[in-house]
Amino acid sequence: MIDDLDDLPTGAWELPEEFVLLRDTVRKFVETEIRPLEDSLPHDTAGVPGPQLAILQQRARDMGLWALATPREYGGAGLSVLGQVVVAEEAAKCRMGAFFPAGGAFGGNPPNVMYRASAEQFEKYARPIVEGRMTKAYTAISEATGGSDPAGAIRCRAVRDGDDYVLNGTKLWTSHAGTADWGVVYARTGDAGERGGISCLIVERDTPGLTMKPIGVMNSFSPYELHFENARVPAANRIGAEGAGFSLASDFLVHGRIVYAAGPIGIAQHALDLAIDWVKQRQVFGTALADKQGIQFMVADSEIELRASRLLMYQAAWNADLGKDVKVDASVSKVFGTETAFRVVDRCVQMFGAMGLSQEMPLERWFRDLRVKLLGEGASEVQRMVIARRLLK
């Protein structure tokens, strides 16, 4: 992968050739391996079933498409943020792509905070994920009191008792908890309202006092509720110093918003491509649907907005790789990318008419999934607040 960004002749406005090749490789993998398999699965399938997934993951590993976001020193590919968004956009161009890019074939990445864990913690918990011996882990932050302001909202408390922490409280909207062997839980160890009073703990699935149940939502992938009742977690499972949970994860959370935008953009681009093919073939009132000005404007507006969202995402990723402060860039990319994607898919449903609402097509699933994306990784309103605060300070 690219080591020295300063040596590259191009920037976010034109992808380096290495990333163009990577993009085309991922695109072909999704077209030839994932979409044909999806056609044999129920419409709302959440991830490729285990035996088939193992085959896909091995093929991906053979192609070098594995643990892409994991730094090289931890055994991963060490892909830059720009490289990650290139992969994420293409990997999302399948029916289940919103929450299972490439069907889950490109695994191997533990929660980002694990790169700040001790060597012993990494070897025990994260290494098996990087090496493909363990499934994806979860990250539990949000609670009933809110998710956009964790410093003020977190009520789940971890109290030190000898060599353990005793956890009490509830986490909501936790993705992948139902299949994970372990996860990282952010709990309050300090005073209420203090950002520095949050600690990060590794919690194993079979911890006594931990119960989980799925939360039914509008999209095809259910998050989980985690309830802790006097659940004892070894103090050795705390990552970093007590109270340093969010300071450890801050850079990763910001960069994650940039990559988060890529999936919706990829889905919307694929939806637009499908809609363009449809309106060129569909005959209404004696001519192709594509001849109608209303349709032409929907196509044009979608193309304009997708180009803009992609370039904003590339710019944010490029600046992140250069080591710049990208808090505003990430918020701009996330809010514009997800909102654009939702608008584009909505237009595509309209262009397909009743067929767009049918489960014969992936559009109605994407519509539901992308509505959720407007809330994930910080709602649009929170991103606008972040942008305004920086500009007006």
Side-chain angles (χ1 to χ4, degrees):
M1 295 300 172
I2 294 174
D3 292 313
D4 190 352
L5 293 169
D6 293 331
D7 292 338
L8 292 173
T10 54
W13 55 92
E14 181 180 353
L15 283 178
E17 182 179 357
E18 182 172 348
F19 289 152
V20 173
L21 295 174
L22 178 62
R23 179 196 66 196
D24 293 346
T25 299
V26 175
R27 181 177 297 173
K28 183 177 180 180
F29 184 90
V30 172
E31 288 176 351
T32 59
E33 301 285 351
I34 306 303
R35 289 185 205 155
L37 175 58
E38 281 185 325
D39 290 341
S40 67
L41 300 173
H43 181 73
D44 268 357
T45 298
V48 175
Q52 294 163 305
L53 180 60
I55 296 172
L56 286 174
Q57 288 183 334
Q58 186 56 55
R59 290 174 183 167
R61 295 182 73 172
D62 292 342
M63 297 173 65
L65 298 173
W66 185 262
L68 297 175
T70 298
R72 291 181 182 177
E73 60 264 35
Y74 296 100
L79 203 59
S80 65
V81 180
L82 181 59
Q84 291 176 47
V85 301
V86 169
V87 171
E89 180 178 351
E90 294 302 322
K93 293 180 179 179
C94 55
R95 192 172 69 220
M96 63 181 73
F99 294 98
F100 293 89
F106 304 158
N109 297 304
N112 287 327
V113 72
M114 292 302 297
Y115 308 135
R116 303 286 177 82
S118 68
E120 294 78 11
Q121 290 169 335
F122 191 90
E123 289 302 315
K124 180 177 180 180
Y125 294 103
R127 180 70 64 191
I129 294 179
V130 176
E131 295 180 352
R133 296 182 284 112
M134 187 178 286
T135 59
K136 186 172 184 175
Y138 65 82
T139 299
I141 297 178
S142 297
E143 299 185 9
T145 46
S148 297
D149 177 26
I154 287 181
R155 299 288 184 271
C156 182
R157 179 164 287 279
V159 177
R160 186 69 180 261
D161 182 25
D163 292 334
D164 296 329
Y165 281 96
V166 180
L167 268 66
N168 283 282
T170 301
K171 293 290 182 181
L172 295 177
W173 320 119
T174 305
S175 300
H176 302 288
T179 57
D181 294 303
W182 59 275
V184 290
V185 176
Y186 289 81
R188 185 166 299 283
T189 51
D191 294 334
E194 288 187 356
R195 190 174 183 83
I198 307 297
S199 297
C200 183
L201 302 171
I202 301 169
V203 179
E204 297 182 4
R205 180 181 181 83
D206 58 358
T207 298
L210 167 61
T211 56
M212 302 182 185
K213 66 178 181 179
I215 305 172
V217 291
M218 67 183 292
N219 67 315
S220 55
F221 176 51
S222 293
Y224 278 73
E225 173 186 312
L226 280 59
H227 181 68
F228 301 92
E229 185 173 356
N230 294 323
R232 301 188 74 89
V233 177
N237 282 20
R238 188 190 67 222
I239 301 174
E242 184 172 288
F246 277 111
S247 64
L248 291 172
S250 57
D251 288 344
F252 298 126
L253 291 172
V254 171
H255 291 178
R257 294 190 192 111
I258 304 172
V259 182
Y260 189 88
I265 292 170
I267 288 171
Q269 183 65 63
H270 187 35
L272 181 60
D273 293 342
L274 292 174
I276 289 172
D277 288 343
W278 170 259
V279 300
K280 287 161 65 175
Q281 299 173 28
R282 178 71 167 171
Q283 296 292 312
V284 293
F285 299 107
T287 63
L289 192 56
D291 294 334
K292 312 304 179 186
Q293 187 181 66
I295 297 298
Q296 293 172 355
F297 283 6
M298 282 194 280
V299 170
D301 287 343
S302 297
E303 177 69 12
I304 291 167
E305 292 174 7
L306 282 173
R307 288 192 185 197
S309 61
R310 185 175 294 108
L311 285 173
L312 285 169
M313 177 178 66
Y314 284 175
Q315 180 187 53
W318 187 257
N319 284 335
D321 290 332
L322 292 175
K324 296 182 180 180
D325 179 356
V326 292
K327 191 170 185 178
V328 169
D329 300 59
S331 291
V332 168
S333 177
K334 193 277 175 181
V335 69
F336 194 78
T338 54
E339 291 187 356
T340 290
F342 186 69
R343 283 195 301 271
V344 170
V345 169
D346 183 49
R347 292 185 191 122
C348 292
V349 170
Q350 194 74 10
M351 284 188 273
F352 269 94
M355 184 60 73
L357 302 174
S358 168
Q359 293 191 357
E360 296 287 325
M361 300 291 297
L363 290 165
E364 70 87 27
R365 174 171 176 170
W366 288 337
F367 184 89
R368 289 181 284 126
D369 287 349
L370 291 186
R371 184 60 186 85
V372 175
K373 291 289 185 177
L374 297 179
L375 294 170
E377 292 293 325
S380 294
E381 292 75 17
V382 173
Q383 305 308 326
R384 287 183 168 90
M385 181 181 68
V386 169
I387 297 165
R389 281 180 175 175
R390 182 62 63 90
L391 294 176
L392 298 173
K393 71 176 182 179

